[in-house]
Every structure is written in C-alpha cells, then in structure tokens.
Amino acid sequence: MSKMMKDTAILLVITLVSGLLLGLVYQITKEPIAIQKEKAKQKACQEVFQEASSFEEVQVNQPDATAWADAGFAQETIDEVMAAKDAAGETIGYVITVTTKEGYGGDIRFTVGIANDGTVNGISILDITETAGLGMRAEEVLAPQFANKNVEQFQYVKTGAAADHQIDAISGATITTNAVTNGVNAGIYYFRTEMMLGGSGNE
C-alpha cells in the first residue's frame, strides 16, 4: 500500500513538473510565435497589394446568410479583412482572406487584394491540398489570371480566356478552378457590398 502511495506521489510530482515546464515553454515562445505569424500575415498581404506600405486588420462583418447563399457563396467564408494603407496612412484597398469548401481535396484558403476602385490586384494561395500536377497548379496557372482585372464576377472557361472576366481552367482540374473562381467572386462580392458600398467595415 505504501509503495502504491509512493508511486502515485512520484507520478503526481512528474505531472506537475511537466505541466509547469510546458507552461513556461508556452510563455517563452508565445510572443515569438505571434510575431512570426504577424510577419507571415503581412507578407501574404504584400504579395497581393505590393503598393501598400502597411496593413491593419478591420472587423469582418459577416454578410446575411440568405443573401450570401443566394449570391452563390454558400460554400465560401470571409475569414479576415486587412486594410491596405499607403505611406500617408490612407486606405487604398483591402486584402480579403477567403476559404472555399468547394475544392476537390478539401478547403482552399487564399488572399484577394482589391483596390478601392474594385480592381483585383491579385490572389495568393495560403492553404491547398488538391491533386498533384492538376489542382495543385492553382497558384501557377490560376492566380496570375486574376491580376489587375476590374470585373463584377469571374467565370471560368475551358476553351481559353477571351475577356477580362474569363479564367482559363486548369486542364483536368475544373473542380479546383471552379472553387478558386467562386472564392475570388465571394471576395469581390464582399468588397462591393461591405466595403465599397459603405458597409460598416469601410473607413
């Protein structure tokens, strides 16, 4: 009985020490991790808004669920919005982080940079798990096609893009193409309804 109590006490001490060490490590690494995350966020924003000097997070006002679904974005969510600032601190556009659940291999998450006049500066893929050699080529094939376009909505085609609003689909990966295109359209729709048209997120 005494040995059992002794073993229990030893186990308790080990557990307490381990917990304290884990807590200490967390406190030590928390700030550096937060700094690195912020740097990564700023870098992702810079990729789609190169002319901006800084970025500031603004409140995400989730759109009305019914209107959002009616617009065709039931599988898309707006995760984060950053205001792009020039050297004088003026807002020159926004970086909108979108997640779409329409990917072939799972969720696809990316940023969309949109200037105040509605021009899409570009997109940058953050998370994607599509098929290698097909959907995984989204950053290479799809992303450049959205850059510097000012349209109300994009549409993918399989016969080669002939207009600004058309996106040439990745051969053999139309599901991925559709997911990314819908996600970008969701970002544009959010910008036009919540930012450009005087939504509460507008500065």
Side-chain angles (χ1 to χ4, degrees):
M1 189 68 177
S2 175
K3 184 177 184 302
M4 182 182 296
M5 291 180 66
K6 183 179 178 181
D7 290 344
T8 301
I10 292 173
L11 184 60
L12 180 60
V13 170
I14 291 173
T15 302
L16 287 172
V17 171
S18 297
L20 288 171
L21 288 175
L22 284 173
L24 181 61
V25 170
Y26 172 74
Q27 289 299 324
I28 293 173
T29 60
K30 181 173 66 173
E31 187 173 345
I33 289 173
I35 291 172
Q36 289 304 314
K37 283 185 176 180
E38 183 60 27
K39 284 182 178 179
K41 182 190 297 185
Q42 294 287 323
K43 182 180 178 182
C45 290
Q46 201 74 58
E47 287 181 6
V48 296
F49 224 118
Q50 296 180 9
E51 60 269 41
S53 296
S54 62
F55 302 90
E56 295 181 8
E57 187 171 351
V58 299
Q59 181 180 345
V60 175
N61 299 306
Q62 293 298 338
D64 176 77
T66 301
W68 188 249
D70 288 345
F73 307 124
Q75 299 301 310
E76 284 70 39
T77 57
I78 303 300
D79 301 330
E80 187 176 49
V81 179
M82 303 286 285
K85 306 279 186 174
D86 63 13
E90 295 296 320
T91 298
I92 56 177
Y94 297 90
V95 177
I96 301 172
T97 303
V98 182
T99 295
T100 175
K101 299 183 180 300
E102 297 187 81
Y104 182 79
D107 293 354
I108 302 175
R109 189 168 180 260
F110 54 88
T111 55
V112 186
I114 306 179
N116 281 341
D117 67 353
T119 299
V120 175
N121 290 341
I123 76 167
S124 179
I125 307 290
L126 301 176
D127 296 300
I128 185 170
T129 54
E130 301 296 270
T131 305
L134 296 173
M136 287 301 289
R137 298 177 65 214
E139 185 77 47
E140 167 198 349
V141 177
L142 297 179
Q145 297 187 63
F146 294 101
N148 303 313
K149 304 285 181 64
N150 191 331
V151 301
E152 288 191 12
Q153 186 170 313
F154 286 100
Q155 176 186 20
Y156 78 87
V157 294
K158 300 179 181 180
T159 55
D164 277 357
H165 73 284
Q166 294 182 333
I167 300 299
D168 194 18
I170 302 173
S171 179
T174 54
I175 293 177
T176 304
T177 303
N178 177 69
V180 173
T181 302
N182 282 353
V184 174
N185 285 338
I188 294 173
Y189 179 86
Y190 181 86
F191 169 78
R192 290 181 177 273
T193 56
E194 295 293 332
M195 319 305 289
M196 177 183 263
L197 299 182
S200 56
N202 195 25
E203 296 194 353

